[in-house]
Amino acid sequence: MIVRRSQGEIDLIRSACQIVAETLARLSELVRPGISTGELDRYAEQWTRESGAEPAFKGYVVGGRVYPATLCVSINEEVVHGMPSPRRVLADGDIVGLDFGVVRKGYYGDGALTVGVGQTSREAHDLIRVTREALDRGIEKLRVGNRIRDVSEAIQTHAEAHGYGVVRDFVGHGIGQRLHEEPQVPNYVSRGQNPRLKEGMVLAIEPMVCAGTYEVEVLEDGWTAVTKDRRLSAHFEHSVAVTANGPEILTSLGTEHP
Ligand code: MF3
Ligand code: CO
């Protein structure tokens, strides 16, 4: 069942999403050679709690495993679910994906972005830009009467036009009173369910795009997903409401209504 949210509920989800957006922006400013991913995680948790919310990922269970941190920090060939550590230090030229969710008053927000550390290669820069553009192309399709597959197709078409691979093993999702709700939102055209978009649906759109193959594998730690060819991967995510006036990006900075 895909839940349609009332205006009051969307206001609550937006409040959670604004904490996500502000925290991601502040974390991006801290990203520099020499900072550890564990330090980024400590700030994320501290700022989340100061804002009256709780981390959504910490304690989240996937396949019997409990996620131990507030942030997912995925560097270079890491696609998603990189675990922060005080021993993992960012270096000049890395690209780093920050993925982060909170829950406040029972409603969730989820967002992600990828930034370069210091001076990055042209290859890295282009991958980040195209992944960000693919997210925008997908969000543009979040209109009443369109279908989920319209979103998937827009994302896939843009990424593949640049020769990139679109990850299949992880997908976007509905969001609201749980972090992951129906429907799934693949970033590629897949068979199966293809629901029509309706006013009040709230969806987390999150393309994961790879410089080479879209195939991923999970490391020994049970969490970190990496590209099989160990080439770079980038990830962006917004939580978005489908409204009568088109998509409203809830995790954009400064969209909080009074
Ligand atoms: N950030 C992922 C998503 O956007 C979920 C993280 S899974 C967790 O759907 F276990 F790390 F929480
Ligand atoms: Co998500």
Side-chain angles (χ1 to χ4, degrees), residues 57 60 62 67 72 81 99 110 173 179-180 206 223 237:
F57 299 173
Y60 193 82
V62 180
Y67 193 72
C72 295
H81 301 166
D99 186 357
D110 190 8
H173 49 93
L179 177 61
H180 295 136
E206 49 177 317
W223 283 104
E237 175 174 20

Side-chain angles (χ1 to χ4, degrees), residues 170-174 180-181 183-187 204-208 237:
F170 302 97
V171 297
H173 49 93
H180 295 136
E181 297 184 356
Q184 294 200 352
V185 186
N187 299 298
I205 310 299
E206 49 177 317
M208 288 144 270
E237 175 174 20

Side-chain angles (χ1 to χ4, degrees), residues 47-116:
W47 294 337
T48 299
R49 297 195 190 282
E50 282 172 6
S51 65
E54 283 172 42
F57 299 173
K58 200 168 192 173
Y60 193 82
V61 179
V62 180
R65 287 177 193 275
V66 181
Y67 193 72
T70 293
L71 273 187
C72 295
V73 187
S74 305
I75 303 169
N76 297 336
E77 75 280 5
E78 297 172 0
V79 179
V80 284
H81 301 166
M83 277 185 296
S85 158
R87 294 178 306 282
R88 190 77 190 274
V89 175
L90 298 181
D92 189 56
D94 283 345
I95 66 171
V96 56
L98 304 174
D99 186 357
F100 171 56
V102 306
V103 54
R104 182 170 164 274
K105 296 186 179 172
Y107 288 85
Y108 284 79
D110 190 8
L113 47 75
T114 300
V115 292

